[in-house]
Amino acid sequence: MGSKKKKSDKKKDFVKPKLRVGKTQQKPLNQTDISFKSKSISLPKQLSLVQDHLNLKKEIDHNILLLKHHNSQSKKEVIIRLIQIITKENSINPINLNNFPFDELLIKLKPLIIDQSKQVRDATKDLFKLIGDLKPSILTLHQNSIILFILSGMTHINPSIKNDSINFLKIILLNSNVEVKDSVIRSNFAKILKSLFQLLNFSIDGGKLKNSKSLSFSITTSNVNTNKSNNLDRKLDQLNVLKDLIESSCIEPKSSEHNSDDDNEDNNENSNTVQYHALTNIYLNNNKPNAYGYLNLFTKFEFKNSNNNSNGSSSSPSYSSSSSSSSKSFKNDINPLINVDSYSCEDLDTRQKILIEIFYDGLNQGLSNIIKENDDKLIKVSTTILNDINLIKSEYDLKNDS
């Protein structure tokens, strides 16, 4: 019986099943069922950074790292998410912003000024403006590197990046905090003015030297956007930034020292305990930047290799001051644009000297050409800038004559 049963069982393995219409084929006994009914895959460990609001610091750090993502859409969403986090924290509990890693954020955010995607640049501009309103001291700390990326955008070969660079410059120069603007002007006045000349396509020599390539700016890349209204709006923004830069850096603000006597009288009337002497301001610390630059406290010594004299003795080393350039005439330079980035702009006199001796002719000629375009807004701004530079030139000439 056992042998017959084994034979019959072996035969079943080699019997070919008959297929019938309307009936499914019988599945093998050792078949593994791999079907599943779930419509989505849940990965709670990866989604915890977004969903778990209790661990906000990890989410912020993760988003800051994603600012280097290769996908522009991902970078845009990360910037928008960071804006949401900052504004939410500011509205609910402003104290938490003191623990926000603004320093690490700016390190990753600065290169996005010249990002190829316009959407990323627009989102970056909004985040920069938010940081400038909440933490202007952070912009002051990173202002040199931020200006470096902005100037790189102002001279970029991509017209879209070049046109958007003025928006980032407006955030710095039009910041409500005076310290941000002052620090940028003292360190980068000549560089910004030189880049604005290139944006506006102004000639540095005012068209006097026709064959001098080194003394003139020329735009070799063509502008993709041919919309006339957009071009006029863009030029108007550039001129407004130029006007604000000149007025903030080269025109001395009106002092209130002449009203000190009147103020002291009012204080005496309103208060019986606090009294100010008329000469108090003379003995207070000077608030002007580099007020003691004439002392050459930060003089940079430069040892120059010169030819030996006939007696075989070499000339003595000479030095040049990097803190103050008021005694130097830029007109004696063969090409002042070569050294314009290294000029010190700490004090008002030096900035006026740079503006008049290097850029005045180009400004006068370029603004006169803009006035001929017969646009009311451009004419108004250009006329204001012309009046400002002529006023500065008259004061500068008066100082030199005296």
Side-chain angles (χ1 to χ4, degrees), residues 218-395:
S218 60
I219 304 299
T220 56
T221 57
S222 60
N223 195 347
V224 177
N225 192 357
T226 58
N227 192 345
K228 185 177 180 180
S229 61
N230 291 338
N231 293 334
L232 292 177
D233 294 340
R234 189 184 312 118
K235 184 175 291 187
L236 184 62
D237 288 340
Q238 295 168 0
L239 289 175
N240 284 324
V241 172
L242 177 62
K243 179 177 73 68
D244 185 78
L245 177 66
I246 293 175
E247 291 177 352
S248 302
S249 58
C250 298
I251 297 179
E252 188 172 2
K254 295 180 180 180
S255 61
S256 59
E257 293 179 357
H258 60 280
N259 296 327
S260 60
D261 297 336
D262 298 336
D263 294 339
N264 292 337
E265 292 178 359
D266 295 338
N267 291 330
N268 293 334
E269 293 177 358
N270 297 330
S271 176
N272 296 325
T273 58
V274 179
Q275 295 182 356
Y276 297 95
H277 193 270
L279 300 178
T280 301
N281 293 327
I282 298 178
Y283 300 99
L284 294 177
N285 291 331
N286 201 325
N287 293 327
K288 295 182 180 179
N290 198 23
Y292 307 102
Y294 62 92
L295 297 176
N296 293 331
L297 298 176
F298 302 99
T299 300
K300 177 182 178 183
F301 288 87
E302 296 179 357
F303 292 88
K304 299 180 180 179
N305 296 326
S306 59
N307 296 329
N308 295 334
N309 298 332
S310 59
N311 298 331
S313 61
S314 59
S315 60
S316 59
S318 60
Y319 65 90
S320 62
S321 175
S322 62
S323 62
S324 177
S325 306
S326 58
S327 61
K328 179 181 178 181
S329 178
F330 303 115
K331 292 182 179 179
N332 297 330
D333 292 349
I334 298 176
N335 186 357
L337 284 180
I338 295 177
N339 301 321
V340 72
D341 293 345
S342 62
Y343 290 154
S344 174
C345 305
E346 290 288 334
D347 55 321
L348 178 66
D349 294 336
T350 305
R351 292 194 294 268
Q352 290 180 348
K353 183 183 288 291
I354 292 174
L355 178 68
I356 299 303
E357 294 189 2
I358 300 178
F359 296 100
Y360 176 78
D361 293 334
L363 277 173
N364 195 5
Q365 182 65 36
L367 294 172
S368 300
N369 293 334
I370 292 178
I371 292 176
K372 298 177 183 178
E373 296 183 7
N374 296 326
D375 185 81
D376 296 336
K377 295 181 180 179
L378 295 180
I379 291 174
K380 183 179 179 181
V381 179
S382 301
T383 306
T384 304
I385 300 175
L386 278 175
N387 294 333
D388 290 338
I389 61 175
N390 289 329
L391 177 62
I392 295 170
K393 188 175 187 305
S394 62
E395 294 178 358

Side-chain angles (χ1 to χ4, degrees), residues 63 72-82 84 123:
N63 287 329
S72 59
Q73 185 66 25
S74 299
K75 288 187 287 189
K76 175 190 172 184
E77 293 176 355
V78 167
I79 296 173
I80 293 175
R81 176 57 183 160
L82 287 172
Q84 293 175 353

